[in-house]
Amino acid sequence: MRTSHVKFYQTGTFTVGNRLLSETERSVQSTLERTNALNSGHRACQGCGEALGARYAIDAAMRATNNQLIAANATGCLEVFSTPYPETSWQVPWIHSLFGNAAAVATGVAAALRVKGRTDTRVVAQGGDGGTTDIGFGCLSGMFERNDDVLYICYDNEAYMNTGVQRSSATPPTARTATTQAVGPEPGNVFGQGKNVPLIAMAHEIPYVATASVADVRDLEAKVTKAMSMHGARYIHILVPCPLGWGSAPHDTVKLARLATESGLFPVFEAERGEITDRRTIRKQVPVEEYLRLQRRFAHLFKPVLQVDVIARLQAAADRNIRRFGLHGQGEL
Amino acid sequence: MLKQIEGSRAVAEAVALCRPEVICAYPITPQTHIVENLGQMVKAGEVDNCEFINVESEFAALSVAIGASATGARAYTATASQGLLFMAEAVYNASGLGLPIVMTIGNRAIGAPINIWNDQQDSMSMRDAGWIQLYAETNQDAVDLHIQATRLAEELSVPVMVCVDGFILTHAYERVDIPTQEQVDAFVPAFEPRQLLDPAEPVTIGAMVGPEAFTEVRYLAHYRQMQALWLIPELAEEYEQQFGRSTGGLLRSYRSDDAETLVIALGSVNGTIKDVVDKLRDEGTAIGSVSITSFRPFPAKRLREVVGQARRVVVIEKSLAVGIGGIVSTDVRMALAGAGLPVYTVVAGLGGRAITQASLREALLKAHRDVLERLTFLDLRHDVIHREIERLETQRRSGPVAENILRQLGSVADHIG
């Protein structure tokens, strides 16, 4: 096949392969061979972080497995916007069963592949934060503890977006959702609740756990590729901003993901068998306010009066992450 | 080969003979012995090429089976009671997706109050879930029906529940003829899935379907069960020719030809019913019985043929539709609509209460004389419920009903049987 070099002109983003790199180091998305696992024509909103994250993640997983991949999907935005015929967008064998069982369905797929001797074919399960940290948590933990040969990817947009932005156990404190309204003496989601599933995944001592965001899709691709080079239970937790639920501009999706990581609110790290092996250090810490201001879900922190104390609590949480995960390059978990 | 074995062991051996590829196990009484036995057989290397997975819940058990079946593996699990309810969402999903999973139900009551003993409320709660439901009368039936269920499920691409009365069958040691591997291999061919997750030919399974197609998808689920109405008897006949044993197809009738009163029931209680029928026949009462094997699909036409010239029908039900009465009776009435026959509902055996010949005989004789209430509860203790109803009417904070009744009854040992 004749190939020609594709030139990319985007600057200031990490989203497309960098033409300054050698061809072998370029991103999956920059190659003509990319599979477009999640093809165009689906029904996601403009600026959807989940669609972006899913395409990069599954394309990378397909490249890592020579396209011998099966995907199991939880109910949620990703399933709904990608499947209605004739607009189904999946270029990969794909099954959706229920909201809370994607990890278990993937376990079944992996077991069948094993008995069928199809050792070259691998399985990925994927879901949003609701399907992962809440309703699918039992099945996820079961898959982890059995060390089933599944990569589970959580696209975390920090609420139940598909049903109209309700709070999940991944919703951050103070965020306004349809069930944590911006009213009363403590508007938005409360402090002191929620769970950190990457850390819980690590507690299962599974082979690989990583966090990533759509701000650094090269890092995301690398982590998916690494995960697919391993066997057993693996977990990648990807922060995917949601313009609808966060009340942000569609063109700010990547920017917000970057601000989340650069502020320390969303630590990006890797862990193997329960121990952190790498983290993405922050070059220059951004105040959380910069991240919060771009999102209407936090608007009540700024109007009618600036909630200095509340913002300080969020800043303290970000600072703690930086200390705890060594995001300045020196801390320890 | 004839063996004197526990029902659960017999079921496990039958399942193993069907060459399952993925077995998902989660314990719940009274089904547990089945998966324990299967686990032992797989671990000892007695089942070729089979994955035995200990999962964290019944919901996961069936979900793992769904993933395995969609990837082309013959998948099996077993459950009962609360376990079946806990997996309910996946029960509907497996049939909606048309995945031919075989699942044993060790029939047991549903709480509250928690009760581990036998009735059929659990599988009845899933009667509309799109699964074929076959009820075993004996442990021999249980063995034979599992082998037929595997073939039936895969030919139609519909999941099948084989319902086996908890304890009465699952824990009973009796003589069972276990077929050979060669016999079963000749009856159950390799699984050839209708849909397959395969990178060579990517398909999307489980897409969102709107009003434009949902009715058609659901109709086809019904259509496939209607096909089972002829496939079940056909397979039973083929099985009989090959194995020398009849499972009766959709239903079995007993001394029904000239019966004026016909007793209908599902499962192991038919043994007791047949004994009572024999005795009443000896006394000159024109009575017979029908054991329904296939409750889903419901064999309405076959039932009409069997009922023939009968003057009344009595349905013995091991479940209760609170607020209306019988569950099986409703389907029987629908099947016999226009025939003008009285259909008596006798709710019996709830939560493991013994269904005695004496009580059955009394109820059936009353029905035969048309003096039975249309809905009765066999051996209901009226004194106990009257006292509790009085308490409810006189005390606002009357307390928990079950505990009040237990207090009335005193020591447990005096009241079993």
Side-chain angles (χ1 to χ4, degrees):
Chain A
M1 187 176 78
R2 269 196 55 176
T3 60
S4 57
H5 290 278
V6 181
K7 288 181 179 168
F8 297 105
Y9 296 100
Q10 289 92 333
T11 55
T13 81
F14 295 100
T15 52
V16 179
N18 188 331
R19 63 198 160 97
L20 298 176
L21 293 172
S22 73
E23 283 197 43
T24 53
E25 289 173 354
R26 289 185 189 176
S27 78
V28 177
Q29 292 299 315
S30 70
T31 63
L32 287 176
E33 288 77 31
R34 75 174 189 188
T35 45
N36 271 334
L38 179 59
N39 215 340
S40 57
H42 59 69
R43 301 181 179 185
C45 306
Q46 194 179 24
C48 173
E50 188 171 34
L52 178 63
R55 180 161 59 86
Y56 272 75
I58 302 302
D59 275 0
M62 288 183 81
R63 184 171 75 168
T65 58
N66 196 25
N67 298 343
Q68 300 303 297
L69 188 75
I70 293 172
N73 213 120
T75 308
C77 270
L78 182 59
E79 166 263 326
V80 169
F81 76 63
S82 68
T83 67
Y85 275 85
E87 295 132 0
T88 180
S89 311
W90 294 102
Q91 310 297 305
V92 59
W94 182 96
I95 183 167
H96 158 248
S97 174
L98 298 167
F99 200 0
N101 73 353
V105 170
T107 289
V109 173
L113 292 171
R114 212 153 48 235
V115 289
K116 293 289 180 189
R118 286 159 60 186
T119 48
D120 61 329
T121 305
R122 308 290 301 280
V123 57
V124 168
Q126 51 184 355
D129 49 292
T132 304
T133 74
D134 288 344
I135 198 169
F137 194 64
C139 287
L140 184 70
S141 177
M143 186 274 279
F144 284 164
E145 70 83 11
R146 290 185 303 267
N147 198 25
D148 294 328
D149 191 18
V150 173
L151 167 61
Y152 191 103
I153 301 172
C154 170
Y155 304 105
D156 177 10
N157 54 22
E158 301 188 329
Y160 290 88
M161 301 315 184
N162 187 44
T163 44
V165 199
Q166 292 82 20
R167 178 224 185 252
S168 80
S169 62
T171 301
T174 76
R176 174 209 66 193
T177 70
T179 49
T180 55
Q181 298 85 346
V183 296
E186 290 181 70
N189 196 28
V190 297
F191 280 92
Q193 296 184 350
K195 55 179 119 161
N196 188 323
V197 173
L199 291 183
I200 298 170
M202 283 169 60
H204 291 74
E205 304 200 348
I206 56 176
Y208 186 69
V209 173
T211 62
S213 87
V214 290
D216 190 348
V217 288
R218 299 295 307 281
D219 177 63
L220 165 56
E221 283 183 346
K223 283 169 174 166
V224 171
T225 306
K226 183 170 181 179
M228 295 316 291
S229 75
M230 306 165 100
H231 283 268
R234 291 143 289 145
Y235 180 72
I236 299 181
H237 190 105
I238 306 172
L239 183 72
V240 291
C242 169
L244 174 85
W246 293 16
S248 56
H251 58 74
D252 278 343
T253 293
V254 171
K255 183 178 184 179
L256 278 168
R258 185 172 310 116
L259 290 172
T261 57
E262 297 282 302
S263 63
L265 282 172
F266 186 82
V268 176
F269 62 92
E270 280 180 296
E272 293 182 32
R273 304 225 168 259
E275 290 179 25
I276 290 192
T277 53
D278 202 3
R279 73 276 282 161
R280 192 158 181 82
T281 53
I282 296 170
R283 278 170 292 183
K284 185 176 179 296
Q285 190 185 356
V286 177
V288 294
E289 203 176 317
E290 256 185 64
Y291 168 72
L292 303 171
R293 271 195 189 277
L294 293 173
Q295 306 172 55
R296 283 199 305 281
R297 65 175 172 159
F298 296 116
H300 53 279
L301 302 182
F302 301 97
K303 282 181 191 170
V305 284
L306 187 68
Q307 302 290 327
V308 179
D309 294 350
V310 179
I311 294 170
R313 287 185 80 179
L314 291 168
Q315 185 63 54
D319 294 346
R320 178 170 181 264
N321 279 339
I322 287 171
R323 210 166 53 241
R324 189 180 186 194
F325 292 91
L327 302 181
H328 279 321
Q330 60 232 354
E332 295 213 12
L333 184 72
Chain B
M1 186 178 132
L2 288 176
K3 291 182 177 178
Q4 183 74 19
I5 52 174
E6 192 197 32
S8 296
R9 174 76 196 181
V11 167
E13 291 193 14
V15 170
L17 286 168
C18 293
R19 300 191 182 278
E21 292 170 303
V22 175
I23 296 171
C24 319
Y26 191 80
I28 183 166
T29 304
Q31 159 284 130
T32 312
H33 290 183
I34 298 172
V35 290
E36 282 176 1
N37 275 291
L38 281 165
Q40 190 181 28
M41 285 185 250
V42 173
K43 200 148 200 263
E46 293 163 20
V47 188
D48 288 343
N49 204 28
C50 179
E51 291 279 332
F52 182 86
I53 304 174
N54 283 299
V55 293
E56 73 282 356
S57 73
E58 290 89 355
F59 177 67
L62 192 52
S63 299
V64 170
I66 285 168
S69 183
T71 315
R74 183 170 287 159
Y76 169 84
T77 190
T79 192
S81 183
Q82 315 297 136
L84 183 61
L85 295 197
F86 194 58
M87 66 164 65
E89 194 188 8
V91 173
Y92 272 79
N93 191 254
S95 60
L97 294 175
L99 296 172
I101 297 159
V102 171
M103 174 160 70
T104 309
I105 307 297
N107 283 111
R108 166 183 152 181
I110 285 173
I114 185 168
N115 176 302
I116 63 164
W117 307 105
N118 166 248
D119 65 32
Q120 294 168 345
Q121 192 77 43
D122 50 1
S123 52
M124 284 297 152
S125 77
M126 290 295 133
R127 68 190 183 278
D128 302 327
W131 289 54
I132 288 171
Q133 286 194 347
L134 306 177
Y135 286 76
E137 198 178 317
T138 62
N139 278 335
Q140 186 64 62
D141 260 4
V143 165
D144 297 334
L145 289 177
H146 275 89
I147 296 165
Q148 292 176 41
T150 305
R151 171 128 168 235
L152 176 67
E154 290 173 11
E155 283 204 14
L156 296 175
S157 215
V158 173
V160 180
M161 275 179 214
V162 182
C163 303
V164 183
D165 281 319
F167 294 108
I168 297 168
L169 294 179
T170 57
H171 287 54
Y173 279 74
E174 56 185 9
R175 196 179 75 164
V176 181
D177 193 351
I178 304 287
T180 64
Q181 186 67 64
E182 292 70 35
Q183 283 178 302
V184 176
D185 283 349
F187 187 79
V188 182
F191 176 30
E192 190 55 56
R194 281 194 177 270
Q195 52 187 338
L196 183 66
L197 292 169
D198 183 2
E201 205 178 325
V203 288
T204 296
I205 299 177
M208 173 75 88
V209 172
E212 74 284 2
F214 196 79
T215 305
E216 284 69 25
V217 174
R218 297 300 293 154
Y219 175 80
L220 285 169
H222 178 68
Y223 173 80
R224 287 199 301 271
Q225 285 225 355
M226 293 300 100
Q227 286 182 304
L229 284 174
W230 59 260
L231 187 56
I232 291 169
E234 198 175 282
L235 289 179
E237 200 167 308
E238 190 184 326
Y239 191 88
E240 186 177 357
Q241 283 168 11
Q242 205 176 315
F243 296 76
R245 261 193 317 278
S246 170
T247 50
L250 297 168
L251 55 78
R252 285 191 182 103
S253 56
Y254 185 72
R255 304 184 81 165
S256 62
D257 283 353
D258 60 340
E260 293 173 12
T261 300
L262 209 55
V263 190
I264 297 174
L266 279 60
S268 63
V269 71
N270 279 290
T272 314
I273 291 171
K274 283 193 272 192
D275 284 346
V276 175
V277 164
D278 283 345
K279 285 177 184 160
L280 290 173
R281 279 280 181 179
D282 289 348
E283 294 163 17
T285 308
I287 189 166
S289 69
V290 176
S291 168
I292 293 180
T293 305
S294 169
F295 182 61
R296 284 292 178 274
F298 192 77
K301 182 163 171 281
R302 184 81 189 92
L303 188 66
R304 277 196 296 277
E305 290 165 7
V306 174
V307 168
Q309 302 303 309
R311 294 189 190 165
R312 66 194 67 78
V313 164
V314 186
V315 184
I316 309 293
E317 304 237 25
K318 280 192 176 183
S319 57
L320 170 64
V322 176
I324 179 70
I327 296 175
V328 181
S329 312
T330 306
D331 291 2
V332 169
R333 284 194 186 94
M334 190 166 170
L336 303 179
L341 296 182
V343 175
Y344 298 97
T345 301
V346 179
V347 174
L350 296 188
R353 177 160 297 184
I355 301 174
T356 65
Q357 289 194 30
S359 302
L360 263 184
R361 175 193 160 86
E362 192 189 330
L364 295 180
L365 278 174
K366 275 189 184 169
H368 194 70
R369 296 196 306 271
D370 284 319
V371 294
L372 189 69
E373 298 275 326
R374 286 301 169 96
L375 171 64
T376 56
F377 293 76
L378 199 71
D379 293 334
L380 178 68
R381 295 195 53 174
H382 292 272
D383 55 334
V384 172
I385 54 169
H386 287 148
R387 274 203 294 276
E388 185 57 18
I389 288 168
E390 193 186 331
R391 183 202 304 276
L392 292 169
E393 283 174 358
T394 54
Q395 300 176 26
R396 178 61 219 169
R397 182 157 299 174
S398 52
V401 168
E403 287 71 10
N404 288 341
I405 289 176
L406 289 177
R407 195 175 296 120
Q408 269 194 58
L409 291 174
S411 89
V412 173
D414 298 343
H415 300 282
I416 288 177

